Each structure stands twice: as C-alpha cells, then as structure tokens.
Amino acid sequence: MAIRFEDIKEHIGSRVVWDDREDIFTPEAAAAIRAKVEERTVVVFPEINLTDAEQLAITDAMGGTVKLTARNNVQQNDDNVYQVTLDEKINPQPEYVLGTFFWHMDGITVDMPPPFATLLSCRIAPAIGGETEFASTYAAYEGLPEEEKQALEGLRAVHSVRASLSPIADAIPEKHRERVLGIGLIKEHPLVWTHESGRKSMVIGTTADHIVGMEVPAGRAMLIRLQEWAAQPAFSLRHKWTKGDFVIWDNTGAMHRAIPYDKSTGRMMHRTSIAGTEAVAA
Ligand SMILES: [Fe+2]
C-alpha cells in the first residue's frame, strides 16, 4: 500500500498516513514526500519513532544529507545527526538553540545554497512549551496585496549570525559574547526568492538585519512587518510534539521557531538537513 496525505490547514501542513511502516522507506514514498513538502511546506509523521539510521535513510532518499551545524564532540549519536537540546552536557554552546526561539530559516548565512528541508525527530517532548511553529513564506508572499509585492521587487536584505543572535546576546557569557556573535558569514539575499519552479517566497527572519539602500530603522520595520504578516494564522502552523513525531519542512519557503522551553523539560530533537540545490535568486 502507498502512503497517503491529509491536509492540516488550508495553506500549510499535511499529515502522513500509512498502513505498513515500511511503506515510508520506498523510493516512491521519498519522491511523494518531497513533492508534498514542496506543495504543503510542512509534512508531519505522527509517532513514527524513527531511529537515526532510518531518519538518515529518508534524508538521503529525499535528496542527500548536508551537515549544517558543526557538531560538538560530546554529542552521543550518529555523526550526521545534530542533537537539538539545551542540555549543556550534550551541547556546551546552547546559544544557537536559544536563537531558535525567534523566526528564522536554517543555513541562510552559510556559503552554500540554503538546505532544501529540515527534518526533526522528537526524542523527548516537553510537557510545557517547545512546540515548533512554521510560517509559509510562499503563502505569505502570495497573500500580499499586489502593490506590496511590487514594492518588494528588487529589494535585498543583509543577513548575519549577529542579527539572529542579537535577541539573546545578553544570555551569552560575556567572555564568549563577541566571539559567538562574530561567527558566520554575512550574506546578502533578495527579499523575494523566485525559485526555478517560478514560485516566489520571501527570505526573512531574524537573520535579516537591514535592507540594502534603505534607512536602517525603516528597513528593519519592514522586515518585522513581513515576519508578522507571514506568521498570521492563515499562513502558519504550530506543531505540539509527541515523542516519536517526525516533521519535514521546506526550509526554502518557510520560517520556523520554537516556543520557549526550559532545559529542565529535557526537550531533545534529532535534526538532519537535505542539501539545497538552488541558490537564493531574484
Ligand atoms: Fe532552525
């Protein structure tokens, strides 16, 4: 039997239904899931309880694994899987995880095409907080009034790690602060990404620091307004995690963030990324 999909909301989200768990791992399923991620932005596999090996097999079958974040050598699992946790025994630099409390796209300041998709398996679900929210920047762009779409044409934004970590800068120990904030490249991207498919999404989130050629306050205000527009309920989805849930989302057409949680919850997610094939283009 083939896998099936059910829509979650009008503009975003599909849930996968299967009869036999093995149906998830066929080449046909990988192609169908990839197409569904492109179409619906977020695809949820409720309580499928993947092993790391299974998650990597799906990641590879859908386009190939890419390592996005340098792993800490204290991490305890497969080398290609990043453990998202605030537990300092496993992740001695929790700043990047704290940074995920704010809307962002993965890998947007790295010097390669942004990853096509991010895949998360929930190993420990927090009782309070820690949901992940997704906002479709395809749907958000599509929903803009025509004159606003035209106003965005040709605009470019400067993205940096420093901008994405500025909301949590005070939480970084002072002796590490300048080093941490200085990590990573500064990248300029068009605000509107015209994909090879012809569809358009927006490249926004906390990495976006300012708009080229615009007064900084006005540019920042525009970037924040666009974030708020994309995050409205019509274009966004909140996923409350149950242990074993597995979610794949289109990182090239969505922002995401975690609802704040405390490290005492033990929240643990295993993350892989699918290599991107398209650079951001106007
Ligand atoms: Fe992320």
Side-chain angles (χ1 to χ4, degrees), residues 68 84 96 99-100 102-107 118 120 132 249 251 255-258 271:
L68 195 57
V84 182
Y96 291 103
T100 67
F102 302 88
W103 287 117
H104 67 283
M105 297 165 66
D106 288 338
T118 308
L120 276 185
T132 301
W249 71 92
N251 180 61
M255 302 184 292
H256 61 283
R257 68 178 177 186
R271 186 187 78 187

